[in-house]
Amino acid sequence: MTEGPCADSDSDDQSTTTTTTATTQSSEMKHLAIHTLRELHNNQTPYFIFHVFSNNGCFFWEWIRFLLFGQQHSSLLSDDDDDDDDESSIMIGLRNLRQKLVGVIFDSAPAYYDGDAKIVRSAFRYVVSPTKNNEQNNHPLEITNSLNANVVKQRFRDFWSGLCQDPSNIPQLYVYSQCDKLAPADQLEELIECREEILGEGNVWRHLFLDSEHCSHLLKYPNEYDGLVRQFLSFCMSQIGGMCDDYENDFPVRARL
């Protein structure tokens, strides 16, 4: 439910544009999440974590969470989305993936949105490409300006609430900065405290950098960042029965981007 009904045809057009844009983005994220889980399943990955950046990474995690812990299982692990897979084998595959997921790292995420369109527009400075012309770079801004504010704010409330109240018990690490204007530390720390109440403080890690910009903590503090991630990986693996505590020496760290 939005905060108020659309009053005229222009508002109706805005609402339709918002719904179409959101549906397209959601479909793309769902496809990416399914592809990722299918790859993990087919490669028989022993254990894995998700390391996500900014809100796009959180939208991806939103779909991963829904697919692994929700009810949408049909054809998830099939090679062809049109194949009629045996439901029991799909459920077994998903259960195995749930057991292999040992942690989630949120870098500069999630970013809080209070309805101010300036915040959304400011996000595009992080995705403007010097290899694209002005028309290509301005296209996302044009889409943003066409969105219905009430619909966007309701979508964000659902998004934020889902991250706060997520019942899954996967250890989480939040990496953020005091000077990140896109993902303010104050609001993010409120979410972290909510996660601590649900998961327990021991399963929720946080690291506050003082002067690195949005999604730039690794660039400015590579050694500190690397050490932090490895400590978190070691903790995640230590939670698995029979696994040693020294993850970084006994298991190679490999990224799949």
Side-chain angles (χ1 to χ4, degrees), residues 172-219:
Q172 298 179 341
L173 165 62
Y174 293 85
V175 185
Y176 57 110
S177 172
Q178 190 66 53
C179 73
D180 188 340
K181 297 180 180 179
L182 196 57
D186 291 345
Q187 286 87 355
L188 188 48
E189 286 175 343
E190 291 181 6
L191 181 142
I192 294 172
E193 291 172 2
C194 179
R195 299 304 299 146
E196 289 175 341
E197 292 180 2
I198 294 175
L199 292 180
E201 292 186 9
N203 288 316
V204 180
W205 291 36
R206 66 171 83 184
H207 189 89
L208 175 65
F209 289 99
L210 296 180
D211 57 356
S212 49
E213 293 190 12
H214 189 68
C215 293
S216 298
H217 320 309
L218 174 60
L219 293 175

Side-chain angles (χ1 to χ4, degrees), residues 16-257:
T16 300
T17 302
T18 302
T19 302
T20 302
T21 303
T23 300
T24 300
Q25 181 192 47
S26 180
S27 177
E28 291 173 351
M29 279 296 178
K30 178 182 178 181
H31 183 270
L32 176 60
I34 290 175
H35 175 79
T36 302
L37 292 176
R38 183 182 296 147
E39 182 180 4
L40 290 167
H41 172 74
N42 291 340
N43 290 339
Q44 298 183 338
T45 305
Y47 297 100
F48 62 95
I49 69 164
F50 284 109
H51 191 161
V52 300
F53 295 80
S54 196
N55 271 2
N56 255 4
C58 286
F59 286 128
F60 171 74
W61 167 244
E62 185 179 48
W63 265 110
I64 290 291
R65 193 178 73 238
F66 177 68
L67 292 167
L68 283 184
F69 302 98
Q71 301 299 319
Q72 185 152 338
H73 302 143
S74 179
S75 300
L76 175 58
L77 301 179
S78 65
D79 291 329
D80 187 338
D81 285 343
D82 294 328
D83 287 346
D84 292 327
D85 278 10
D86 179 70
E87 183 71 14
S88 62
S89 65
I90 293 175
M91 293 297 292
I92 291 173
L94 287 170
R95 184 170 66 247
N96 289 338
L97 285 177
R98 285 196 294 268
Q99 294 171 347
K100 293 176 179 180
L101 173 58
V102 298
V104 186
I105 301 175
F106 297 91
D107 184 311
S108 308
Y112 185 80
Y113 175 67
D114 62 1
D116 187 350
K118 292 180 181 179
I119 297 177
V120 178
R121 288 194 288 269
S122 69
F124 287 117
R125 78 181 184 88
Y126 296 97
V127 296
V128 169
S129 171
T131 63
K132 294 182 178 180
N133 58 42
N134 289 335
E135 182 178 354
Q136 290 172 314
N137 281 325
N138 288 334
H139 181 62
L141 185 59
E142 293 173 358
I143 293 177
T144 301
N145 290 335
S146 71
L147 299 181
N148 180 280
N150 288 335
V151 175
V152 172
K153 285 191 283 187
Q154 181 59 49
R155 175 65 180 97
F156 175 76
R157 283 194 289 267
D158 294 340
F159 165 74
W160 192 265
S161 175
L163 290 169
C164 284
Q165 303 301 326
D166 173 19
S168 60
N169 60 347
I170 310 300
Q172 298 179 341
L173 165 62
Y174 293 85
V175 185
Y176 57 110
S177 172
Q178 190 66 53
C179 73
D180 188 340
K181 297 180 180 179
L182 196 57
D186 291 345
Q187 286 87 355
L188 188 48
E189 286 175 343
E190 291 181 6
L191 181 142
I192 294 172
E193 291 172 2
C194 179
R195 299 304 299 146
E196 289 175 341
E197 292 180 2
I198 294 175
L199 292 180
E201 292 186 9
N203 288 316
V204 180
W205 291 36
R206 66 171 83 184
H207 189 89
L208 175 65
F209 289 99
L210 296 180
D211 57 356
S212 49
E213 293 190 12
H214 189 68
C215 293
S216 298
H217 320 309
L218 174 60
L219 293 175
K220 189 159 187 177
Y221 299 101
N223 294 333
E224 187 175 354
Y225 194 102
D226 179 80
L228 175 64
V229 169
R230 289 181 179 275
Q231 288 177 23
F232 180 68
L233 286 174
S234 180
F235 168 78
C236 291
M237 297 306 295
S238 71
Q239 304 305 297
I240 303 172
M243 302 300 293
C244 70
D245 292 337
D246 194 0
Y247 176 84
E248 61 180 286
N249 291 329
D250 290 88
F251 300 92
V253 177
R254 184 169 67 95
R256 292 290 293 170
L257 301 177

